[in-house]
Amino acid sequence: MLSGLAKLFKRDHQAFEAFQIEVSSYSSLESQFSPRALFAEKWFFQQMPLETYQKIAQNFPQVKWAIFRGWGDPLENEDFPAMFQMARQAGCLTGLATHGFYLTPEISRQLVEGELDFITLNLKEIPPAEENGRRMSSEFKQTLDQIRRLIELKKSRGRGKPSVRLSFLMTRLNMSRLHQVVPAAVTLGADEVILKNLDYLPEDRWNILRTFYHESPTPAFQDAFDEILRLGKELKIPVRCSPLKAEEIPVCEAEPHHSLFFSVDGSIAPCMYLRLPKKGNIPRIFLNKEYTVEPMIFGNINTEDLPEVWGKEDYRSFRKVFEDRIKAQRNISSIVDAISSPNAALLEVIEPPPLCESCRTCYKAYGI
């Protein structure tokens, strides 16, 4: 079976949609919503060795996207430039999620010249539209200056890449001020604004600060949400917002049926939410109740080949749930399209299989 999988990988350049690769679990800029601080005594502070990354890179000819993202900041790893070049040389589309503190002129040059496809800047403060309009921390001012230099460099070279995306968390503490990020992003020259929910809630304090809801919406949050979208249209900048209502979806944004996550230690998991770089199980709050799930690790690239891990029976069974949920969604769409057809009565509704226990209490499975 493994030899057959290996042949499939060799034949199909895009056997995988994306590899999300966590090359560091460190971050110099800590957010109050960082699980590193909460789990400090249990956290694995680690940089992915280049040797581990090279084993991942052997599979790049079979993947469309190589995205540098995880529970730390990829730019903390001194080997990141070499890692990025390996992905580009293999023909992968590339993305990077960073806090931007180490976005030095040299790194920016390499990203522009190497044609990084997108960079997501996860910012912990709200930038004012006018720099003298509000006091900023020195770290945040440095980060904004570096983002500005990256954008100026891109434009001076006549490049459309990387797409610069500014990303912010929506919380009860900042929802009333988040509309400020839209004109600020335009002033900075960014390409897109992303507003995300607190999607991982390890303790009750975080749960209290979320803005999304299960049944009863908060009108003030919805009004702020609508104003942000209105400003985006008015100022002609794309604004992508996570929904404020949690509703089950067929497949989460990680798309684990054709993508995977490499943790900083080389372990292979469906997504980053099922593999925190910490000792022990993963605590989470869902529907205001406390749960604990085991990390979902199917193998390790340091000791196993990817075709071997991908072909394991338990991993295949896990992915099949999502494949069947997609089929069920398509079936429902077909019924809706054919509802006026004389043969509509012959169509049978396919019930989607339930999510596994580990995913059932994860808010990513509900569009959050």
Side-chain angles (χ1 to χ4, degrees):
M1 180 182 72
L2 296 182
S3 62
L5 281 169
K7 290 179 181 178
L8 172 64
F9 287 3
K10 186 175 182 180
R11 181 176 68 253
D12 187 353
H13 179 72
Q14 294 179 0
F16 298 98
E17 177 66 18
F19 288 171
Q20 290 193 26
I21 310 170
E22 181 181 63
V23 299
S24 176
S25 60
Y26 286 89
S27 180
S28 296
L29 287 184
E30 287 292 4
S31 164
Q32 63 177 312
F33 302 111
S34 168
R36 280 180 301 276
L38 184 62
F39 302 125
E41 296 182 359
K42 298 181 179 180
W43 198 258
F44 298 132
F45 289 95
Q46 186 177 347
Q47 309 287 12
M48 178 179 284
L50 192 57
E51 294 78 12
T52 297
Y53 182 83
Q54 288 170 334
K55 293 176 180 179
I56 298 171
Q58 292 174 1
N59 301 280
F60 280 161
Q62 290 82 45
V63 66
K64 181 178 179 180
W65 283 94
I67 301 174
F68 297 93
R69 178 193 180 204
W71 293 105
D73 192 320
L75 297 186
E76 294 272 357
N77 192 318
E78 63 180 11
D79 291 320
F80 172 77
M83 293 171 168
F84 167 62
Q85 288 300 326
M86 279 188 234
R88 289 299 296 123
Q89 289 168 6
C92 297
L93 299 174
T94 50
L96 166 66
T98 174
H99 295 303
F101 187 69
Y102 286 117
L103 191 62
T104 64
E106 176 58 21
I107 290 292
S108 291
R109 182 191 66 78
Q110 293 181 28
L111 296 180
V112 171
E113 293 183 356
E115 297 188 321
L116 176 76
D117 288 279
F118 73 82
I119 179 170
T120 299
L121 284 305
N122 296 314
L123 303 180
K124 67 174 186 177
E125 296 182 41
I126 297 177
E130 301 290 339
E131 284 206 16
N132 59 0
R134 190 174 61 84
R135 190 171 182 177
M136 294 182 287
S137 68
S138 58
E139 293 87 357
F140 190 58
K141 188 176 186 305
Q142 174 182 324
T143 298
L144 290 182
D145 288 342
Q146 291 174 164
I147 296 171
R148 185 178 296 104
R149 283 196 292 267
L150 169 66
I151 293 171
E152 290 172 351
L153 177 63
K154 180 180 74 168
K155 291 180 177 178
S156 70
R157 300 287 180 90
R159 304 286 181 88
K161 298 178 181 180
S163 172
V164 178
R165 308 169 179 179
L166 305 187
S167 178
F168 304 86
L169 282 176
M170 295 186 290
T171 74
R172 288 181 176 269
L173 301 177
N174 69 6
M175 198 66 179
S176 63
R177 296 183 291 111
L178 271 178
H179 64 277
Q180 297 174 200
V181 307
V182 180
V186 172
T187 300
L188 197 60
D191 297 293
E192 185 178 11
V193 171
I194 300 173
L195 300 181
K196 304 185 300 181
N197 282 305
L198 275 172
D199 50 24
Y200 173 54
L201 309 176
E203 64 175 16
D204 195 54
R205 176 176 62 92
W206 298 31
N207 185 44
I208 292 172
L209 293 175
R210 62 177 169 82
T211 55
F212 67 86
Y213 65 94
H214 309 112
E215 295 178 353
S216 302
T218 303
F221 293 163
Q222 187 63 55
D223 290 345
F225 188 90
D226 294 341
E227 174 63 10
I228 292 166
L229 294 177
R230 185 196 68 78
L231 276 173
K233 291 181 180 179
E234 178 183 314
L235 299 178
K236 296 180 172 56
I237 183 171
V239 177
R240 184 158 27 118
C241 299
S242 299
L244 292 184
K245 184 176 182 181
E247 295 183 292
E248 187 174 335
I249 56 178
V251 182
C252 65
E253 65 179 15
E255 300 185 335
H257 57 295
H258 60 193
S259 299
L260 52 85
F261 175 68
F262 291 97
S263 186
V264 68
D265 64 352
S267 56
I268 299 169
C271 72
M272 60 187 285
Y273 294 89
L274 288 173
R275 180 56 179 134
L276 270 69
K278 64 177 287 292
K279 297 177 184 176
N281 292 336
I282 303 170
R284 59 170 65 145
I285 292 178
F286 178 74
L287 289 174
N288 300 315
K289 294 181 180 180
E290 295 182 359
Y291 294 87
T292 301
V293 298
E294 294 183 3
M296 187 172 286
I297 300 170
F298 289 105
N300 193 298
I301 198 66
N302 287 303
T303 56
E304 301 169 273
D305 292 333
L306 184 56
E308 176 185 354
V309 177
W310 191 252
K312 289 181 179 180
E313 184 61 34
D314 55 348
Y315 201 174
R316 292 170 63 192
S317 297
F318 173 83
R319 299 196 305 270
K320 190 176 186 303
V321 171
F322 294 100
E323 292 164 358
D324 290 345
R325 287 171 68 86
I326 292 172
K327 290 177 183 177
Q329 182 188 43
R330 290 173 179 166
N331 169 257
I332 293 172
S333 298
S334 298
I335 291 175
V336 172
D337 292 341
I339 201 70
S340 60
S341 168
N343 296 323
L346 300 178
L347 296 173
E348 181 180 355
V349 176
I350 300 176
E351 292 293 333
L355 294 164
C356 71
E357 185 176 347
S358 297
C359 295
R360 200 172 301 141
T361 57
C362 177
Y363 275 117
K364 302 308 290 184
Y366 300 83
I368 297 302

